Amino acid sequence: MSAPGVVVLDFSEPINIQLSRAQVVTPVGRTLSAAGLSSEEIEVPISGNEFGVYSVDWTTVSAVDGHVLRGSFVFGVGVSPVGTGEANSAALGLPDMVLALARAVEFGALLLAIGLLLVRQLASYPPRLTWVRGPLVGALAVGFAGGVAVVAGESMSAAGGLSPGGIATYLSGGEPGYARLLRLGFEAAALILAMLGVRRVTILVLAAITALAAAGHAAALRPAAPAIAVDAIHLASAGLWAGGILALAAIRGSGGWRSPESRVLLKRFTPVALIAFSLTALTGLLQAVEELSSPLDLLQSTYGNVLAFKLVAVGAMLPLSLLAWRRLRPRPRLEAAIILVVVSASALLAAFSLPPARLAEAEAGLASPESALALPQPGDLTLGGSAGDSVVGLTIRPGKPGQNTLWVYAMPVSGEAAAAQRAVRIQVDGRDLSARRCGPTCATASASLTGGESISVLLGTRHDVAGFKLPQLPAPDGTAVVQTLQRAMHQLSDYRIDETLGPSSQPLRTLYAFQSPDRLSYQLSTGGETVIIGSVRYSRSTPTERWVAESTLPIHVPDFAWDSGPIQDARVVDAGEPGGEQVVSFFEAPYGSPVWFNLVVDGQGLVRQAEMRARGHFMDQRYFDFDAAFSIVPPVVSDRNPARLMPSAAPQPAPISPIRKPASIN
């Protein structure tokens, strides 16, 4: 029941920092936007702690192959929105289909150009076949036009519209853009030379094919050079085989394909076509191995379905090619029609941003094993704190008297890149340990512990300090305390919370009132007020403004900050006096982000104070007025200011005092 301090989007491969972007829309309609923070991360800071549904939309531009990927998801604070899972661009939209059509035109025209160059060369052998010409200039012109349409569409998609600056950034921001510009340059040069009657344009067409491969999926594989070479050979050999068939369909002789001259051309073309077909099939198989995670992808993924359809279409050509090879009944125009279907399927495959193999690789991507050890494992003693604007998690393993390994997780608001630049020191009772880094956000050291030691984590040149007072070792299991407090707190009918939220030079203070089953009011130190009753939200920015009513998802009361995820590694860090207050600490990972809690629990199981430490979200809460029988009513939506929602007899909130127990958060 607490909003994250920052929404972090991590990506499995490098992104274009300038063009990749994300935005978060809060429950009250505020839009928070951010560009790429690093080559693999976008972060959107969230200020405030509004209840309701947050929507996240993101767009990334790959820095390795230039493809654009989009996604969206929602999450709720105090509510349970439908469809919280992530949606990405695995399915092709209308713009992708339009680009695929333009790409099919470019592919087909380039293949035809290669085929025409081949057939012209074959016709030049003695005896010369003077009737063999074909529309080479037309093919190159159509290919260039298709290429311009594809590159323009990709550039506008990456830039988010017709933005000259964004388009220039996309085309000049790295290898993907350079490959696209070179492709257009080679296509234009080949067209100009063909129009001038220069016969040897083959090298330029092959260069355009290579640049086309460098702008596709092959560029994202590692190492990229062999993959691009395989893709380029696949396209060139397809040009000799499939493009040759397209050329034959375009230059049919006056006597038909059973005339002696036509049979001479077929005889010359057949051995080249057989070799080219074999090479196309071999390189196509290599591509399939690279792009499919398993043969089941042919049935279980859209990409695989399109690839399977392409294979079926190629298979349908084999009987026709056999007839042409035996020169029994050549049908080049029918073969050409099937080739156009194959080309369209290839263009559709190129429109997918992530083939199944790369998608599976992305989903399987995990942090390095040692870096992951900085986060708690089952059975660990883990405590949370803060130093400056960094959340600091301290995990003691095995958490028993004797030699222990101390694992420190330190993450500032500005992210991993900033964390990696900050020095980390670990002290036990003022004595420096020999600490070493185990990742951008991880440091570790060893020490002999007995319990009761003071541990300090110092960050950066300013030596921001997170201090921890260890409990007795081993710390008692806190599961029973957590179960007791959960029962007591979730039986409440109404209660209030006085909350301070940081990190900030001026922390946000909020006074909440909750009434079951679905009523909430809160007043911000900045002057804003909100009331939620059922499915209606009333809000205003200042006490003198009119109330604005709008629909919302109903909240569930009671609900608490620690209800966001499964509670892990609960430990009693101060047992206190029998029947008195005790302190329990535990860890959660809602939405995959680490969060530490420290709760002061009284003898009845009621939480009196709570501290929550997460990245960009340092929250201190004081709970009071349990079952005080107050009422939250709708405000008057009129020009006149309504009376305050909190009953006049309500006690004024006292300042939140720091938790006095061991393991307190400094």
Side-chain angles (χ1 to χ4, degrees), residues 262-278:
S262 296
R263 287 182 174 274
V264 169
L265 182 59
L266 285 176
K267 184 177 180 180
R268 296 175 183 177
F269 174 71
T270 298
V272 177
L274 288 175
I275 296 173
F277 175 80
S278 301

Side-chain angles (χ1 to χ4, degrees), residues 169 260 352 500 569:
T169 298
F352 285 87
T500 301
D569 298 315

Side-chain angles (χ1 to χ4, degrees), residues 278-451:
S278 301
L279 193 55
T280 303
L282 176 61
T283 52
L285 178 61
L286 292 176
Q287 287 180 317
V289 171
E290 292 171 341
E291 295 173 354
L292 298 179
S293 59
S294 78
L296 291 177
D297 287 333
L298 292 170
L299 302 175
Q300 298 176 349
S301 69
T302 306
Y303 184 96
N305 296 159
V306 176
L307 179 57
F309 175 77
K310 175 183 173 181
L311 295 176
V312 170
V314 172
M317 289 181 58
L318 293 180
L320 298 175
S321 297
L322 180 62
L323 291 175
W325 174 51
R326 300 294 298 271
R327 292 182 289 280
L328 298 175
R329 192 174 182 182
R331 303 289 295 274
R333 290 189 176 179
L334 179 56
E335 288 186 80
I338 299 176
I339 285 173
L340 293 179
V341 173
V342 174
V343 168
S344 299
S346 299
L348 199 57
L349 291 173
F352 285 87
S353 298
L354 289 177
R358 283 172 60 196
L359 186 60
E361 181 181 346
E363 292 174 346
L366 298 173
S368 64
E370 188 176 40
S371 179
L373 291 174
L375 296 179
Q377 310 295 316
D380 284 345
L381 168 62
T382 186
L383 308 170
S386 59
D389 70 344
S390 296
V391 59
V392 179
L394 173 65
T395 298
I396 311 295
R397 192 175 295 134
K400 300 177 181 179
Q403 196 69 19
N404 282 266
T405 302
L406 284 63
W407 296 92
V408 171
Y409 171 89
M411 173 69 86
V413 174
S414 49
E416 277 194 4
Q421 302 300 317
R422 298 187 181 183
V424 180
R425 292 170 54 196
I426 304 174
Q427 296 179 340
V428 175
D429 290 335
R431 176 176 55 87
D432 276 297
L433 301 181
S434 178
R436 65 178 179 85
R437 298 302 291 262
C438 47
T441 61
C442 172
T444 184
S446 296
S448 179
L449 304 173
T450 59

